[in-house]
Amino acid sequence: MPKATRQSFGDALVRIGEKDSRLVVLDADLSKSTGTGGFLKKFPERHFEFGIAEQNMIGAAAGLALCGKVPVAASFSCFLIGRLETIRVAVAYNKTNVKLAGTHAGIGIGDDGTSQMGLEDVAAMRALPGMTVLQPADDLEARQMTEWMIAHDGPVFIRLTRQVVPDVHAEGYRFQLGKADVLHEPAAAKGEAKLQATVFASGGTVGPAVDAAKSLAARGFRVRVVNAGSLMPFDLEAPARAAAESQRIVTVEDHNITGGLGSAVCEAVATSGLGCPVVRLGLESFGESASGAELYEKYGLSAEHIVEACLRNLN
Amino acid sequence: MPTATASSDTDMKAVTRELRVDIIRMIEAAGSGHPGGSLSVIDLLSVLYLKTLRHRPAEPLWPDRDRVVLSKGHACPALYAVMAKTGYFSRDLLSGLRKLGSPLQGHPDRLRLPGIEVSTGSLGQGLSIALGMALAAKLDKKDFKTWCILGDGEMQEGQVWEALLAAPKFKLDNLIAIVDYNNGQIDGSVKEVMDLEPLADKLRAFNWETIVIDGHDLAAIEGAYAQAARVSGRPVAIVAKTAKGKGVSFMEHPCEWHGKAPNKDEADRAAKELC
């Protein structure tokens, strides 16, 4: 059912905690917001409150991991990557089995405004060797990714929404690392007509992308929607296929357009050697206070903007 | 068990002289490195590795070993010297310091050199990691200790004070922080750059059992370690007053020999003084 992915993640932690005694959870005075409250209630002896001191929390997580624990350190994603140098050395360079859960991704958080919005976190995390970067689109994928990352041996950053997101996956969906999945496939066309567009979305923008494709389908435009939940490693095949089969690629992310999903898609298209224009929707500035829906409209992430990006004259 | 031990104080004194020469020769061969802070910390590390630690150099991943985090990672020539002495690896490796393909990186790298617990060098991070290790020991009801060696300049990093605030909350009496208080850093004396005083009072105010010693008095060091191991209910800080470049007269200066390698002539003079 529709849920904030932070909540789905928190629910999954409780279930995993029942069978995996290695799991420990660390918070920096935000356990009421990160989704870890359920774990704290159920397993208080395996929950550690570090106060408003994220870099110490991240360093301690590395130490716990070096002694065989599987620590999840949670905070708003902007506060985690504010401690990038600690993440770089204590987590990435040391290859410690630390799971960083960055909630409150993007302008989707709404009213609290820019200082609470994670808008550069994917760019920072993608630049760290050995880091796995995940962003679930819905409840099912968030639970599966959480299970996957606790079982995985190595550092992971998972990016989660504050806002409720719709269910976009069917029950039988299985998350695979390094694989994008098609959420909306247009009806087959006669002849060899290329798709009007392939839209790549991730996290909070997946819902609007699917809405946009449905609205375009009703108007006779064939658009495929691809969910890129695994931002690193990134599925290089999906953009290459999109470049071959589409007139254009549109990327839409609740993040700065530098270094995130749009960049990853452009890198993959360039590497493929196939020419295809890429329209990147996302932030090029900081955000501001308003409702999440108003901000998605203002900053070009709504279904209407995605429709326009699929149809706009590129010349 | 360590393959090298020193039975008497006289032997220990000789060992620390020998390790000082190793440090000088290693940095001379590398052509770069940090002699000042390596020479200030070597007595602390020698006593720790030869007299105090519960460890098995031939089995560096032995689960019950005490953990050592050299947060002041730039002093790794001292750590490498003492690790070679205790049998973690062959002494022949020392001459490869900082060279292409050597496991002896310019700052310690746990993935390249077995026996290094944590890759360090970015100052201010080690105590948090050590805290996490001590927390894991408590969770698993294991009795190993975690020893973290910090530089005094490093104490200017905010993260250190976050960790100092947190360790007493978790009652980590299995965590011992050793401050190599040599009063030197790159831009000058610690006192001039950013004074830490009154450091021991600050640590006590943060609820750490705090012991102040002369960090070159081998018996005092051994006594402080034994005392630290007996403390119950809260973490222990050992403020060790040291001298940068200790043991080599012309290197005993707060900042001149922080990050400068001796040339052959200087290394020969240093070795002569030490032998």
Side-chain angles (χ1 to χ4, degrees):
Chain A
M1 75 186 223
K3 267 188 187 177
T5 54
R6 58 177 168 148
Q7 194 53 54
S8 311
F9 148 82
D11 295 347
L13 287 183
V14 176
R15 277 192 301 277
I16 300 164
E18 285 166 2
K19 56 188 186 207
D20 191 342
S21 63
R22 304 171 308 154
L23 178 60
V24 294
V25 175
L26 290 68
D27 269 292
D29 201 37
L30 286 172
S31 69
K32 291 186 173 65
S33 302
T34 55
T36 57
F39 187 93
L40 162 62
K41 204 169 165 195
K42 187 99 188 258
F43 307 106
E45 71 291 350
R46 283 195 274 150
H47 180 275
F48 300 102
E49 176 57 72
F50 276 81
I52 307 167
E54 293 81 8
Q55 52 190 352
N56 185 45
M57 170 178 74
I58 296 164
L64 283 156
L66 286 166
C67 291
K69 301 296 167 195
V70 182
V72 173
S75 187
F76 291 6
S77 69
C78 56
F79 303 149
L80 290 178
I81 69 134
R83 284 71 195 171
L84 181 59
E85 219 270 326
T86 304
I87 298 174
R88 175 177 182 261
V89 175
V91 179
Y93 179 51
N94 270 284
K95 277 197 185 169
T96 48
N97 193 21
V98 171
K99 318 302 169 181
L100 299 167
T103 67
H104 292 59
I107 56 175
I109 72 162
D111 306 356
D112 273 345
T114 297
S115 68
Q116 317 296 299
M117 293 169 171
L119 288 170
E120 305 82 18
D121 47 341
V122 177
M125 291 298 112
R126 281 181 71 231
L128 293 175
M131 185 67 76
T132 296
V133 184
L134 306 178
Q135 176 163 239
D138 63 3
D139 175 51
L140 180 64
E141 192 172 43
R143 285 185 279 125
Q144 289 191 10
M145 282 180 175
T146 306
E147 294 261 359
W148 181 90
M149 74 171 185
I150 301 303
H152 170 72
D153 185 15
V156 177
F157 178 83
I158 187 167
R159 187 173 197 252
L160 302 162
T161 63
R162 173 183 183 275
Q163 75 271 26
V164 172
V165 291
D167 291 325
V168 291
H169 286 104
E171 265 310 307
Y173 169 73
R174 296 300 303 165
F175 161 72
Q176 280 182 279
L177 182 68
K179 290 284 172 214
D181 62 294
V182 174
L183 287 177
H184 180 88
E185 182 66 34
K190 294 192 183 96
E192 293 181 4
K194 283 193 170 182
L195 297 171
Q196 174 68 23
T198 296
V199 178
F200 282 83
S202 186
T205 60
V206 171
V210 171
D211 289 347
K214 285 179 183 162
S215 147
L216 283 159
R219 293 162 63 183
F221 293 103
R222 298 173 58 245
V223 170
R224 178 184 292 144
V225 177
V226 176
N227 167 48
S230 178
L231 291 166
M232 193 161 118
F234 195 69
D235 186 345
L236 299 177
E237 302 280 320
R241 180 184 172 210
E245 298 178 4
S246 323
Q247 295 176 48
R248 74 181 63 177
I249 293 171
V250 174
T251 64
V252 53
E253 60 194 310
D254 190 351
H255 183 272
N256 195 288
I257 60 167
T258 298
L261 173 66
S263 291
V265 168
C266 287
E267 290 155 15
V269 170
T271 304
S272 76
L274 299 165
C276 181
V278 180
V279 179
R280 286 177 296 159
L281 302 181
L283 277 283
E284 293 182 77
S285 64
F286 292 116
E288 62 185 290
S289 288
S291 74
E294 286 172 311
L295 294 177
Y296 265 40
E297 188 56 46
K298 175 166 180 180
Y299 288 87
L301 307 183
S302 66
E304 291 72 24
H305 282 284
I306 299 167
V307 166
E308 195 275 329
C310 291
L311 299 180
R312 128 181 15 149
N313 185 347
L314 294 181
N315 299 319
Chain B
M1 290 303 290
T3 52
T5 53
S7 52
S8 71
D9 290 348
T10 326
D11 289 347
M12 269 305 289
K13 197 83 200 161
V15 166
T16 60
R17 275 200 301 271
E18 173 194 327
L19 297 181
R20 282 189 161 84
V21 175
D22 284 346
I23 290 167
I24 298 290
R25 290 300 184 193
M26 198 180 329
I27 298 173
E28 180 210 352
S32 67
H34 299 85
S38 298
L39 293 171
S40 69
V41 83
I42 189 62
D43 294 323
L44 294 164
L45 284 176
S46 298
V47 176
L48 187 61
Y49 273 77
L50 276 82
K51 295 276 199 173
T52 305
L53 273 195
R54 185 172 76 186
H55 65 152
R56 294 175 179 169
E59 195 187 339
L61 295 179
W62 178 43
D64 293 328
R65 70 193 183 279
D66 286 345
R67 269 63 169 178
V68 177
V69 179
L70 183 68
S71 192
K72 50 170 292 185
H74 57 280
C76 58
L79 182 60
Y80 297 152
V82 81
M83 285 174 75
K85 181 72 185 171
T86 46
Y88 279 88
F89 52 82
S90 161
R91 203 165 159 272
D92 299 343
L93 284 182
L94 295 181
S95 60
L97 174 70
R98 293 179 167 236
K99 294 190 176 139
L100 186 64
S102 169
L104 275 55
Q105 294 287 295
H107 290 78
D109 186 330
R110 76 176 194 95
L111 298 172
R112 286 187 166 90
L113 185 62
I116 296 291
E117 297 286 355
V118 184
S119 307
T120 53
S122 171
L123 295 175
Q125 296 196 22
L127 189 58
S128 300
I129 299 171
L131 183 158
M133 292 172 151
L135 210 47
K138 289 283 180 193
L139 268 175
D140 289 341
K141 300 190 167 43
K142 285 188 172 268
D143 67 351
F144 68 79
K145 306 258 181 219
T146 301
W147 303 80
C148 181
I149 299 105
L150 298 106
D152 49 359
E154 174 175 22
M155 301 290 287
Q156 292 157 355
E157 288 278 6
Q159 184 175 346
V160 173
W161 296 91
E162 291 185 3
L164 287 170
L165 199 55
K169 165 186 164 157
F170 297 116
K171 300 186 168 52
L172 298 177
D173 51 16
N174 52 355
L175 175 64
I176 300 118
I178 303 166
V179 182
D180 176 16
Y181 202 166
N182 61 28
N183 192 37
Q185 59 187 116
I186 295 174
D187 281 352
S189 72
V190 171
K191 203 161 192 59
E192 291 162 348
V193 173
M194 188 53 68
D195 196 5
L196 299 171
E197 284 304 307
L199 181 59
D201 289 346
K202 285 172 185 163
L203 295 168
R204 286 186 187 110
F206 272 60
N207 292 322
W208 286 62
E209 181 82 24
T210 302
I211 305 166
V212 180
I213 56 165
D214 171 349
H216 298 301
D217 179 335
L218 299 175
I221 296 169
E222 193 176 352
Y225 290 171
Q227 186 186 337
R230 287 193 301 269
V231 169
S232 171
R234 57 186 187 148
V236 184
I238 298 173
V239 177
K241 302 223 165 143
T242 58
K244 211 140 180 167
K246 177 72 179 181
V248 179
S249 59
F250 61 92
M251 287 186 171
E252 289 188 21
H253 184 277
C255 51
E256 196 167 313
W257 287 89
H258 172 87
K260 186 170 89 170
N263 60 28
K264 174 147 193 338
D265 177 52
E266 289 161 338
D268 287 346
R269 275 165 56 210
K272 203 168 171 188
E273 269 192 36
L274 289 162
C275 291

